[in-house]
Amino acid sequence: MTQTLTLRVNHETHELAVPSGTSLLTVLRNDMALNGPKYGCGLGECGACGVLVDGMAARACVTPVAAVAGREVITLEGLGGPESLDPVQQAFIDCQAAQCGYCLNGMIMAVRAVLNRKPDATPEQLRAALEYNLCRCGTHVEILAAAERAVRLNAAAIGGGHDVQSPGE
């Protein structure tokens, strides 16, 4: 059975007819051509499919698309663009927190979600937010450094004026 849903994704409204039970990830990748969220485990355990739903982290592979109708969904593509990156995206670039890059979507979205709730998140809170995001390449040190830098960049972006010098300075 097909259902027609109104979705708000990356600040735009979309009306889609989708089969009942379709995952949010399927719609994002196949119907909207948004490739930030990745298909990883398909069980909601690795974090590669991470998105924000009303500012909170969600696993798109196990979220029925019908559950997000009428809510704000933000993907990696909706955080920022080449001219104006989100502070979290900038921090990951600054700290070179990537190897293969497959996990980055989930890592970035998890950090953004925690900063939405707690802009002055501590290193321990950042680690807790990232705990269930898997990185098989082993860039954990760089990812944690990027998360901590994101706190500083985010504070500067919202007017906190924290030190935002480059890593290693």
Side-chain angles (χ1 to χ4, degrees):
M1 172 182 260
T2 299
Q3 57 187 342
T4 300
L5 301 171
T6 301
L7 301 178
R8 184 137 176 90
V9 178
N10 296 336
H11 314 290
E12 294 182 10
T13 302
H14 305 269
E15 194 164 305
L16 298 167
V18 297
S20 297
T22 301
S23 74
L24 175 58
L25 182 61
T26 298
V27 169
L28 293 173
R29 289 186 62 83
N30 296 353
D31 298 321
M32 297 184 164
L34 296 169
N35 294 314
K38 305 288 187 245
Y39 183 89
C41 66
L43 302 170
E45 295 189 12
C46 73
C49 66
V51 297
L52 301 177
V53 177
D54 294 336
M56 304 286 288
R59 305 293 169 107
C61 72
V62 293
T63 302
V65 69
V68 299
R71 299 171 74 188
E72 183 70 36
V73 176
I74 301 292
T75 68
L76 185 64
E77 295 89 347
L79 283 184
E83 295 82 33
S84 179
L85 293 174
D86 183 88
V88 179
Q89 292 170 311
Q90 187 63 58
F92 273 71
I93 291 168
D94 292 349
C95 293
Q96 298 179 18
Q99 193 160 353
C100 83
Y102 208 80
C103 71
L104 282 189
N105 173 76
M107 299 287 187
I108 290 170
M109 300 311 278
V111 172
R112 171 42 58 206
V114 76
L115 293 181
N116 287 347
R117 294 186 323 276
K118 184 124 181 79
D120 59 346
T122 65
E124 294 77 22
Q125 291 166 325
L126 293 167
R127 277 196 229 50
L130 292 168
E131 183 176 9
Y132 297 105
N133 287 266
L134 304 179
C135 172
R136 294 183 178 130
C137 296
T139 60
H140 299 92
V141 172
E142 292 86 355
I143 289 168
L144 291 173
E148 291 179 27
R149 180 159 176 71
V151 173
R152 295 189 306 274
L153 292 177
N154 192 62
I158 59 175
H162 286 65
D163 175 21
V164 292
Q165 64 188 12
S166 296
E169 288 186 18

